[in-house]
Amino acid sequence: QVQLVESGGGLVQAGGSLRLSCTASVSIFSFDVMGWYRQAPGKQRELVADITIGGSKRYADSVKGRFFISRDSAKNMVYLQMSSLKYEDTAVYYCKIERTAGSSWGQGTQVTVSS
């Protein structure tokens, strides 16, 4: 079972920035895809951004140009750099990995953007 631990959430004013980190218990090159999802109160969990083992990235339309996903294979970490944060970015952010054996989720980290 892969363990994923997120960190970096917090309270930030609108227009501010945060960087989320996700640390995996095994090599990230064992994963087909690593991604960030979020879930706001009363809403479904949605994809924010993900990156494939080949390095291809995709972003939700709502975050394009503001969020940037990256990884550090030496540290088994994936990051989500969030800039120009908006009130509507408030949510619990989850790290997710996908591989042949299945998928795993982290416990989530709260991001709260004050308007």
Side-chain angles (χ1 to χ4, degrees):
Q1 183 73 13
V2 177
Q3 303 298 320
L4 300 172
V5 179
E6 301 101 332
S7 61
L11 175 63
V12 63
Q13 289 187 332
S17 299
L18 281 176
R19 189 178 79 157
L20 304 183
S21 300
C22 174
T23 305
S25 58
V26 299
S27 170
I28 64 172
F29 284 120
S30 66
F31 309 146
D32 296 318
V33 184
M34 296 189 74
W36 288 96
Y37 289 69
R38 66 186 181 187
Q39 187 167 20
K43 295 188 177 181
Q44 291 188 329
R45 193 172 296 189
E46 62 176 0
L47 173 70
V48 177
D50 63 17
I51 181 169
T52 70
I53 190 173
S56 297
K57 303 174 184 179
R58 60 174 179 169
Y59 297 90
D61 288 342
S62 60
V63 307
K64 284 180 180 176
R66 300 189 298 121
F67 291 11
F68 180 73
I69 189 169
S70 63
R71 65 188 177 193
D72 185 333
S73 58
K75 297 180 179 179
N76 292 332
M77 296 182 73
V78 65
Y79 305 100
L80 186 68
Q81 179 66 49
M82 305 185 295
S83 303
S84 301
L85 282 161
K86 305 176 181 180
Y87 174 76
E88 50 265 39
D89 294 318
T90 296
V92 178
Y93 284 71
Y94 297 89
C95 179
K96 179 187 180 184
I97 66 93
E98 298 174 28
R99 56 181 184 169
T100 304
S103 60
S104 296
W105 293 89
Q107 82 288 350
T109 185
Q110 176 70 46
V111 172
T112 302
V113 183
S114 61
S115 57

